[in-house]
Protein backbone atom coordinates (compact mmCIF):
# COMPACT_ATOMS: atom_id res chain seq x y z
CA UNK A 1 0.00 0.00 0.00
CA UNK A 2 1.31 3.44 -0.95
CA UNK A 3 0.22 6.82 0.37
CA UNK A 4 0.40 10.23 -1.34
CA UNK A 5 2.56 12.39 0.95
CA UNK A 6 -0.29 14.70 1.95
CA UNK A 7 -2.14 11.63 3.24
CA UNK A 8 0.80 10.09 5.09
CA UNK A 9 -0.58 7.93 7.92
CA UNK A 10 0.66 7.99 11.51
CA UNK A 11 4.06 6.28 11.44
CA UNK A 12 7.69 6.81 12.41
CA UNK A 13 9.57 5.74 9.26
CA UNK A 14 8.94 5.69 5.52
CA UNK A 15 10.44 5.27 2.09
CA UNK A 16 9.75 7.99 -0.47
CA UNK A 17 10.06 7.53 -4.22
CA UNK A 18 8.14 7.90 -7.48
CA UNK A 19 6.81 5.39 -8.28
CA UNK A 20 7.21 3.56 -4.99
CA UNK A 21 4.54 0.86 -5.23
CA UNK A 22 7.02 -2.00 -5.84
CA UNK A 23 9.23 -1.27 -2.86
CA UNK A 24 10.05 -4.06 -0.42
CA UNK A 25 11.32 -1.66 2.25
CA UNK A 26 8.12 -1.50 4.38
CA UNK A 27 7.98 -5.28 4.62
CA UNK A 28 11.69 -5.50 5.40
CA UNK A 29 11.73 -2.81 8.11
CA UNK A 30 8.44 -3.98 9.64
CA UNK A 31 9.96 -7.46 9.98
CA UNK A 32 12.94 -5.92 11.78
CA UNK A 33 10.68 -4.07 14.26
CA UNK A 34 8.67 -7.23 14.81
CA UNK A 35 11.79 -9.32 15.43
CA UNK A 36 13.03 -6.85 18.05
CA UNK A 37 9.63 -6.05 19.58
CA UNK A 38 9.82 -2.38 18.56
CA UNK A 39 6.55 -0.45 18.28
CA UNK A 40 7.37 1.37 15.02
CA UNK A 41 5.59 1.62 11.68
CA UNK A 42 7.25 1.99 8.26
CA UNK A 43 5.23 2.96 5.17
CA UNK A 44 5.73 3.72 1.47
CA UNK A 45 4.98 7.29 0.43
CA UNK A 46 4.68 8.55 -3.11
CA UNK A 47 6.30 11.93 -3.72
CA UNK A 48 6.05 13.41 -7.23
CA UNK A 49 9.15 14.96 -8.76
CA UNK A 50 9.66 18.54 -7.54
CA UNK A 51 7.84 18.00 -4.21
CA UNK A 52 10.60 16.42 -2.11
CA UNK A 53 11.21 19.55 0.02
CA UNK A 54 7.58 20.11 0.95
CA UNK A 55 6.97 16.41 1.47
CA UNK A 56 9.93 16.04 3.85
CA UNK A 57 8.86 19.15 5.79
CA UNK A 58 5.37 17.72 6.06
CA UNK A 59 6.57 14.31 7.28
CA UNK A 60 8.77 16.01 9.84
CA UNK A 61 5.88 18.16 11.09
CA UNK A 62 3.60 15.15 11.57
CA UNK A 63 6.20 13.28 13.63
CA UNK A 64 8.11 11.00 11.26
CA UNK A 65 11.65 10.25 12.46
CA UNK A 66 13.40 8.84 9.43
CA UNK A 67 12.96 8.42 5.69
CA UNK A 68 14.63 6.24 3.12
CA UNK A 69 14.84 7.76 -0.33
CA UNK A 70 14.70 5.88 -3.60
CA UNK A 71 14.68 6.73 -7.33
CA UNK A 72 14.41 9.53 -8.44
CA UNK A 73 14.74 11.61 -5.27
CA UNK A 74 18.20 10.93 -3.86
CA UNK A 75 19.73 14.18 -5.13
CA UNK A 76 16.77 16.29 -3.96
CA UNK A 77 16.96 14.64 -0.55
CA UNK A 78 20.62 15.58 -0.35
CA UNK A 79 19.80 19.17 -1.28
CA UNK A 80 17.14 19.36 1.48
CA UNK A 81 19.57 18.19 4.15
CA UNK A 82 21.67 20.61 6.19
CA UNK A 83 23.91 18.03 7.90
CA UNK A 84 25.40 16.01 5.05
CA UNK A 85 27.72 13.06 5.62
CA UNK A 86 30.90 13.42 3.47
CA UNK A 87 30.22 10.16 1.59
CA UNK A 88 26.69 11.28 0.63
CA UNK A 89 28.16 14.57 -0.60
CA UNK A 90 30.78 12.69 -2.62
CA UNK A 91 28.29 10.37 -4.33
CA UNK A 92 25.77 13.24 -4.63
CA UNK A 93 22.94 11.10 -3.29
CA UNK A 94 21.25 10.63 0.07
CA UNK A 95 19.15 7.54 0.68
CA UNK A 96 18.66 7.93 4.44
CA UNK A 97 17.34 11.05 6.17
CA UNK A 98 16.91 11.89 9.85
CA UNK A 99 14.15 14.45 9.83
CA UNK A 100 14.56 16.11 13.24
CA UNK A 101 17.95 17.66 12.41
CA UNK A 102 17.78 17.36 8.60
CA UNK A 103 20.78 15.01 8.57
CA UNK A 104 21.48 12.54 5.76
CA UNK A 105 23.77 9.66 4.91
CA UNK A 106 24.25 7.27 2.01
CA UNK A 107 23.99 3.60 2.97
CA UNK A 108 23.93 2.21 -0.60
CA UNK A 109 27.70 2.40 -1.03
CA UNK A 110 28.78 0.80 2.29
CA UNK A 111 25.83 -1.62 2.12
CA UNK A 112 27.07 -2.79 -1.26
CA UNK A 113 30.56 -3.38 0.16
CA UNK A 114 29.04 -5.42 3.01
CA UNK A 115 27.64 -7.84 0.43
CA UNK A 116 31.07 -8.55 -1.06
CA UNK A 117 32.37 -9.85 2.26
CA UNK A 118 33.05 -13.55 2.12
CA UNK A 119 33.79 -13.63 -1.61
CA UNK A 120 37.35 -14.41 -2.63
CA UNK A 121 37.39 -12.54 -5.91
CA UNK A 122 41.12 -12.31 -6.54
CA UNK A 123 42.42 -9.18 -8.29
CA UNK A 124 40.50 -6.04 -7.42
CA UNK A 125 39.32 -5.18 -10.91
CA UNK A 126 35.70 -4.37 -11.72
CA UNK A 127 33.74 -3.66 -14.88
CA UNK A 128 30.95 -1.26 -13.99
CA UNK A 129 27.94 -1.23 -16.32
CA UNK A 130 25.88 1.97 -16.25
CA UNK A 131 26.62 5.59 -15.44
CA UNK A 132 23.69 6.68 -13.27
CA UNK A 133 23.41 7.45 -9.58
CA UNK A 134 24.07 3.90 -8.40
CA UNK A 135 27.09 3.58 -10.66
CA UNK A 136 28.56 6.71 -9.07
CA UNK A 137 27.90 5.44 -5.52
CA UNK A 138 29.38 2.02 -6.18
CA UNK A 139 32.34 3.40 -8.10
CA UNK A 140 33.18 5.58 -5.10
CA UNK A 141 32.78 2.59 -2.77
CA UNK A 142 34.92 0.31 -4.94
CA UNK A 143 37.71 2.76 -5.66
CA UNK A 144 37.81 3.54 -1.94
CA UNK A 145 38.72 -0.09 -1.29
CA UNK A 146 41.41 -0.21 -3.96
CA UNK A 147 39.46 -1.49 -6.98
CA UNK A 148 40.61 -0.60 -10.46
CA UNK A 149 37.57 0.28 -12.56
CA UNK A 150 36.49 0.16 -16.16
CA UNK A 151 33.17 1.72 -17.17
CA UNK A 152 30.70 0.88 -19.89
CA UNK A 153 27.43 2.68 -20.55
CA UNK A 154 24.88 2.65 -23.38
CA UNK A 155 25.35 6.43 -23.65
CA UNK A 156 29.12 6.73 -23.99
CA UNK A 157 29.30 10.43 -23.07
CA UNK A 158 27.68 9.80 -19.70
CA UNK A 159 30.37 7.26 -18.89
CA UNK A 160 33.03 9.80 -19.87
CA UNK A 161 31.37 12.35 -17.61
CA UNK A 162 31.32 9.88 -14.72
CA UNK A 163 34.98 8.98 -15.28
CA UNK A 164 35.87 12.69 -15.06
CA UNK A 165 33.95 13.09 -11.80
CA UNK A 166 35.75 10.06 -10.39
CA UNK A 167 39.18 11.15 -11.61
CA UNK A 168 39.44 8.08 -13.82
CA UNK A 169 41.30 8.18 -17.13
CA UNK A 170 39.38 8.29 -20.42
CA UNK A 171 40.95 4.90 -21.25
CA UNK A 172 38.95 3.39 -18.42
CA UNK A 173 35.76 4.07 -20.40
CA UNK A 174 35.09 1.19 -22.78
CA UNK A 175 33.38 1.31 -26.17
CA UNK A 176 32.24 -2.28 -25.69
CA UNK A 177 31.35 -4.15 -22.51
CA UNK A 178 34.50 -6.23 -22.28
CA UNK A 179 34.83 -8.08 -18.95
CA UNK A 180 38.32 -9.47 -19.61
CA UNK A 181 40.47 -9.14 -16.48
CA UNK A 182 37.55 -8.17 -14.22
CA UNK A 183 36.86 -10.24 -11.11
CA UNK A 184 33.59 -8.33 -10.61
CA UNK A 185 31.08 -7.47 -13.35
CA UNK A 186 28.60 -5.10 -11.84
CA UNK A 187 25.31 -4.21 -13.50
CA UNK A 188 23.98 -0.91 -12.19
CA UNK A 189 21.74 -0.26 -15.21
CA UNK A 190 17.98 -0.58 -15.13
CA UNK A 191 18.08 -2.70 -18.31
CA UNK A 192 16.86 -5.76 -16.42
CA UNK A 193 13.72 -3.82 -15.45
CA UNK A 194 12.46 -4.14 -19.02
CA UNK A 195 13.98 -7.57 -19.58
CA UNK A 196 16.61 -5.99 -21.87
CA UNK A 197 19.97 -7.67 -22.50
CA UNK A 198 23.25 -5.80 -22.26
CA UNK A 199 25.80 -6.31 -25.05
CA UNK A 200 28.41 -7.98 -22.83
CA UNK A 201 31.26 -9.97 -24.39
CA UNK A 202 30.62 -12.86 -22.02
CA UNK A 203 33.05 -15.21 -23.76
CA UNK A 204 35.88 -12.91 -22.61
CA UNK A 205 34.87 -13.06 -18.91
CA UNK A 206 37.28 -14.52 -16.35
CA UNK A 207 36.08 -17.98 -15.20
CA UNK A 208 35.95 -17.13 -11.46
CA UNK A 209 34.34 -13.70 -11.87
CA UNK A 210 31.27 -12.61 -9.94
CA UNK A 211 28.40 -11.15 -11.98
CA UNK A 212 26.40 -8.86 -9.70
CA UNK A 213 23.08 -7.24 -10.66
CA UNK A 214 21.67 -4.47 -8.47
CA UNK A 215 18.23 -5.48 -9.65
CA UNK A 216 16.35 -8.38 -8.15
CA UNK A 217 13.36 -10.35 -9.34
CA UNK A 218 11.73 -13.72 -8.75
CA UNK A 219 13.57 -15.18 -11.73
CA UNK A 220 17.24 -14.47 -12.49
CA UNK A 221 17.53 -11.23 -14.49
CA UNK A 222 18.63 -11.58 -18.17
CA UNK A 223 22.10 -10.37 -17.07
CA UNK A 224 22.42 -13.03 -14.38
CA UNK A 225 20.94 -15.76 -16.58
CA UNK A 226 23.62 -15.07 -19.22
CA UNK A 227 26.36 -14.97 -16.60
CA UNK A 228 25.25 -18.38 -15.26
CA UNK A 229 25.24 -19.83 -18.75
CA UNK A 230 28.87 -18.75 -19.00
CA UNK A 231 29.70 -20.45 -15.70
CA UNK A 232 30.19 -17.31 -13.59
CA UNK A 233 29.20 -16.79 -9.96
CA UNK A 234 26.11 -14.60 -9.63
CA UNK A 235 24.42 -12.38 -7.09
CA UNK A 236 21.28 -10.23 -7.35
CA UNK A 237 20.46 -6.99 -5.49
CA UNK A 238 18.42 -8.45 -2.65
CA UNK A 239 21.28 -8.69 -0.18
CA UNK A 240 22.30 -5.14 -0.97
CA UNK A 241 18.76 -3.99 -0.30
CA UNK A 242 18.96 -5.64 3.12
CA UNK A 243 22.45 -4.29 3.80
CA UNK A 244 21.55 -0.67 3.00
CA UNK A 245 18.27 -0.99 4.93
CA UNK A 246 20.04 -2.49 7.94
CA UNK A 247 22.53 0.37 7.97
CA UNK A 248 19.69 2.93 7.83
CA UNK A 249 17.94 1.13 10.69
CA UNK A 250 21.13 1.18 12.78
CA UNK A 251 21.78 4.85 12.13
CA UNK A 252 18.25 5.84 13.14
CA UNK A 253 17.89 3.56 16.15
CA UNK A 254 21.43 2.92 17.36
CA UNK A 255 20.86 -0.80 17.69
CA UNK A 256 21.95 -3.79 15.58
CA UNK A 257 19.51 -4.66 12.79
CA UNK A 258 18.23 -8.26 12.51
CA UNK A 259 19.55 -8.84 8.99
CA UNK A 260 18.38 -12.46 8.71
CA UNK A 261 14.78 -11.53 9.61
CA UNK A 262 14.91 -8.66 7.12
CA UNK A 263 16.16 -10.92 4.32
CA UNK A 264 13.64 -13.64 5.14
CA UNK A 265 10.79 -11.12 4.95
CA UNK A 266 11.54 -10.12 1.36
CA UNK A 267 13.03 -13.24 -0.16
P1 LIG B 1 19.75 5.87 -13.09
O1 LIG B 1 18.44 6.18 -13.75
O2 LIG B 1 20.52 6.95 -12.45
O3 LIG B 1 20.73 5.15 -14.19
C1 LIG B 1 20.23 4.16 -15.03
C2 LIG B 1 21.37 3.58 -15.87
O4 LIG B 1 20.83 2.45 -16.59
C3 LIG B 1 21.94 4.53 -16.91
O5 LIG B 1 23.33 4.30 -17.03
C4 LIG B 1 21.21 4.10 -18.20
O6 LIG B 1 21.96 4.33 -19.38
C5 LIG B 1 21.13 2.61 -17.99
N1 LIG B 1 20.05 1.93 -18.74
C6 LIG B 1 18.72 2.07 -18.57
N2 LIG B 1 18.05 1.26 -19.42
C7 LIG B 1 19.00 0.62 -20.16
C8 LIG B 1 18.95 -0.35 -21.21
N3 LIG B 1 17.79 -0.83 -21.67
N4 LIG B 1 20.11 -0.80 -21.72
C9 LIG B 1 21.30 -0.35 -21.25
N5 LIG B 1 21.41 0.58 -20.27
C10 LIG B 1 20.27 1.04 -19.72
O7 LIG B 1 19.39 4.70 -12.05
P2 LIG B 1 20.15 4.30 -10.71
O8 LIG B 1 21.61 4.25 -10.95
O9 LIG B 1 19.66 5.11 -9.58
O10 LIG B 1 19.60 2.81 -10.43
C11 LIG B 1 19.88 1.75 -11.33
C12 LIG B 1 19.19 0.47 -10.86
O11 LIG B 1 19.77 -0.01 -9.66
C13 LIG B 1 17.70 0.71 -10.58
O12 LIG B 1 16.99 -0.25 -11.30
C14 LIG B 1 17.57 0.52 -9.08
O13 LIG B 1 16.34 -0.07 -8.73
C15 LIG B 1 18.74 -0.40 -8.75
N6 LIG B 1 19.19 -0.20 -7.36
C16 LIG B 1 19.19 -1.27 -6.48
C17 LIG B 1 19.60 -1.11 -5.15
C18 LIG B 1 19.57 -2.27 -4.22
O14 LIG B 1 19.58 -2.06 -3.00
N7 LIG B 1 19.56 -3.47 -4.71
C19 LIG B 1 20.07 0.20 -4.64
C20 LIG B 1 20.09 1.24 -5.65
C21 LIG B 1 19.64 1.04 -6.95
P3 LIG B 1 21.91 5.73 -20.19
O15 LIG B 1 22.88 6.64 -19.51
O16 LIG B 1 22.32 5.34 -21.55
O17 LIG B 1 20.48 6.22 -20.10
Amino acid sequence: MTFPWREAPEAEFAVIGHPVNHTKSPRMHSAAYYALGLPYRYVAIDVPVGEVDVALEHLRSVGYRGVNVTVPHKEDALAWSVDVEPLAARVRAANTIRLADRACINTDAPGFLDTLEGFDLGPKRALLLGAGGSARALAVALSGTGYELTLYNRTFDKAIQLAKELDLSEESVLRSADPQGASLILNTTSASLNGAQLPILWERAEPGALAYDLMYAKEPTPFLACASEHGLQTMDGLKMLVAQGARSFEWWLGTAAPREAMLEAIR
Side-chain angles (χ1 to χ4, degrees):
M1 188 171 186
T2 322
F3 300 90
W5 66 264
R6 288 183 182 82
E7 293 163 29
E10 221 176 279
E12 292 73 31
F13 297 99
V15 56
I16 64 165
H18 187 70
V20 75
N21 46 326
H22 292 304
T23 180
K24 291 178 186 285
S25 291
R27 206 185 315 160
M28 181 173 76
H29 284 269
S30 300
Y33 305 149
Y34 182 77
L36 299 183
L38 298 171
Y40 302 133
R41 287 148 299 180
Y42 186 115
V43 294
I45 295 183
D46 190 84
V47 176
V49 171
E51 296 180 18
V52 170
D53 285 28
V54 277
L56 289 174
E57 285 301 342
H58 175 72
L59 294 177
R60 183 159 73 137
S61 71
V62 298
Y64 278 72
R65 289 175 60 172
V67 168
N68 280 131
V69 183
T70 187
V71 183
H73 295 324
K74 293 181 188 181
E75 287 192 36
D76 286 354
L78 181 81
W80 179 81
S81 304
V82 293
D83 180 357
V84 176
E85 171 212 36
L87 177 68
R90 175 113 206 270
V91 304
R92 297 216 317 261
N95 77 323
T96 308
I97 303 270
R98 190 169 56 215
L99 291 162
D101 57 348
R102 293 177 68 158
C104 74
I105 59 172
N106 182 298
T107 66
D108 285 331
F112 163 73
L113 291 179
D114 292 346
T115 66
L116 292 184
E117 278 170 19
F119 280 96
D120 182 12
L121 292 176
K124 288 188 159 189
R125 280 201 287 271
L127 167 62
L128 194 61
L129 307 163
S134 307
R136 189 188 308 119
L138 302 197
V140 168
L142 285 169
S143 46
T145 59
Y147 267 83
E148 227 176 87
L149 299 177
T150 48
L151 309 181
Y152 169 81
N153 190 47
R154 176 177 66 175
T155 310
F156 183 75
D157 288 351
K158 283 200 199 158
I160 291 281
Q161 183 56 38
L162 180 62
K164 277 190 191 143
E165 286 175 27
L166 296 167
D167 283 332
L168 297 175
S169 68
E170 287 207 4
E171 291 73 60
S172 63
V173 181
L174 306 181
R175 292 267 177 196
S176 59
D178 183 352
Q180 194 180 31
S183 56
L184 176 62
I185 306 166
L186 185 54
N187 182 18
T188 76
T189 76
S190 17
S192 298
L193 257 186
N194 324 308
Q197 276 291 3
L198 294 164
I200 297 164
L201 305 174
W202 287 111
E203 62 287 353
R204 289 171 61 83
E206 303 299 329
L210 171 66
Y212 191 139
D213 199 337
L214 285 206
M215 299 279 314
Y216 42 82
K218 281 204 184 92
E219 301 296 321
T221 62
F223 169 80
L224 293 182
C226 258
S228 285
E229 278 166 27
H230 287 81
L232 304 190
Q233 311 182 72
T234 60
M235 176 147 71
D236 71 11
L238 214 51
K239 282 201 174 139
M240 175 170 162
L241 183 70
V242 172
Q244 60 79 25
R247 281 174 170 266
S248 301
F249 177 105
E250 287 164 353
W251 187 64
W252 288 324
L253 297 172
T255 187
R259 286 170 167 70
E260 276 308 314
M262 293 169 84
L263 180 59
E264 237 2 88
I266 59 171
R267 212 198 283 274

